[in-house]
Amino acid sequence: MIGDVVFFFFFQAEDGIRDAQESRGLGDVYKRQVLGSSRRYPNLRVIWFDAHADINTPDTSPSGNMHGMPLAGLLGLMKPPGFEDGRYVCVTPDRLGYIGLRDVDAGERVILKDMGVDIAFDMDDLQKSGITELTHRILQKINPNNEFPIHLSFDVDGMDPMDAPSTGTPVCRGVRLHEAMDMIKIIRDTGCLVSMDCVEVNPSLGTHNEVALTIANARVVMANALS
């Protein structure tokens, strides 16, 4: 059984070297990739493209699944077993923006409000304003002068299941592939995109054609980020 496949790209803009690595399994992969980039770029800003807020804690999560808690760890709301020293804490609310949300738990909504994360756009926002305006609004909030590095966490379930069916937690009414491409281009053209993860492609889910489509679109996403 093949598990979730995670693609992580790290861009060294200063010398043009671009390295890529592929790892299997999710677990704390979000935290490790964001943490790794934040160590190199202490002023890192994070754009979280996802259908889910991923900010549950053990006290708020209906399922208790750690899969829905990576941002809680990055923000210091919880400390996973073995990491009680807070080594994963590297994100602050003012440096975080969401896009693509449409499956957010009640407890997560409270956390977002209490932490003052007001750049958390859902699909209703997208339908009203469009992906271009929302992306510019995120950038204006977290990086108004294009002076800070950006990490893009790209969960394929942020896209509509029509474009990414082979993923563990698909949610209808998602961002279409062409809209995701527009978002990435805007972020890339700032010159501030230094790292990206593309996660939750699961080749063990769906038909052969669905798997092929999801992988192909994930590749398009990454190729677009790499320009």
Side-chain angles (χ1 to χ4, degrees):
M1 180 73 70
I2 300 175
D4 293 302
V5 178
V6 176
F7 301 88
F8 174 71
F9 286 83
F10 180 78
F11 311 146
Q12 281 188 295
E14 62 271 21
D15 61 7
I17 298 174
R18 300 177 179 188
D19 295 318
Q21 72 179 41
E22 175 182 292
S23 58
R24 299 182 187 277
L26 274 172
D28 65 351
V29 71
Y30 297 96
K31 296 192 291 294
R32 287 189 284 109
Q33 310 304 8
V34 178
L35 177 64
S37 193
S38 70
R39 285 178 172 169
R40 188 178 186 91
Y41 300 99
N43 292 318
L44 189 72
R45 271 53 180 167
V46 176
I47 297 176
W48 206 264
F49 177 84
D50 204 311
H52 311 89
D54 289 340
I55 201 170
N56 265 312
T57 69
D59 294 330
T60 65
S61 173
S63 67
N65 192 340
M66 291 286 290
H67 194 129
M69 304 181 191
L71 263 175
L74 292 171
L75 287 160
L77 301 178
M78 55 166 279
K79 297 179 176 61
F83 297 89
E84 289 82 3
D85 59 1
R87 72 183 71 176
Y88 273 152
V89 180
C90 60
V91 178
T92 57
D94 61 310
R95 299 179 180 182
L96 171 66
Y98 283 99
I99 194 164
L101 294 176
R102 54 195 187 278
D103 186 10
V104 182
D105 294 324
E108 292 180 303
R109 293 186 185 279
V110 173
I111 292 172
L112 291 171
K113 181 178 180 180
D114 289 348
M115 296 197 74
V117 180
D118 55 356
I119 301 297
F121 296 128
D122 59 22
M123 292 307 297
D124 290 336
D125 296 316
L126 188 144
Q127 289 184 349
K128 292 176 184 176
S129 302
I131 196 76
T132 297
E133 180 178 334
L134 295 188
T135 305
H136 283 300
R137 284 166 63 183
I138 288 176
L139 292 170
Q140 181 61 33
K141 177 71 174 183
I142 67 174
N143 198 18
N145 299 315
N146 286 344
E147 59 184 315
F148 299 116
I150 295 172
H151 175 89
L152 173 61
S153 181
F154 191 101
D155 187 323
V156 297
D157 72 25
M159 291 194 292
D160 192 273
M162 292 180 65
D163 295 320
S166 293
T167 186
T169 51
V171 185
C172 294
R173 291 183 64 237
V175 177
R176 297 307 306 268
L177 178 63
H178 69 277
E179 295 172 315
M181 295 302 94
D182 290 343
M183 175 193 72
I184 291 172
K185 183 180 186 302
I186 293 168
I187 298 170
R188 186 192 71 213
D189 287 352
T190 65
C192 297
L193 181 63
V194 297
S195 57
M196 173 182 176
D197 55 66
C198 182
V199 300
E200 292 205 44
V201 175
N202 193 330
S204 68
L205 297 176
T207 66
H208 173 79
N209 288 342
E210 288 172 337
V211 171
L213 175 66
T214 306
I215 291 175
N217 286 344
R219 288 173 173 168
V220 169
V221 164
M222 292 181 290
N224 196 39
L226 288 166
S227 187

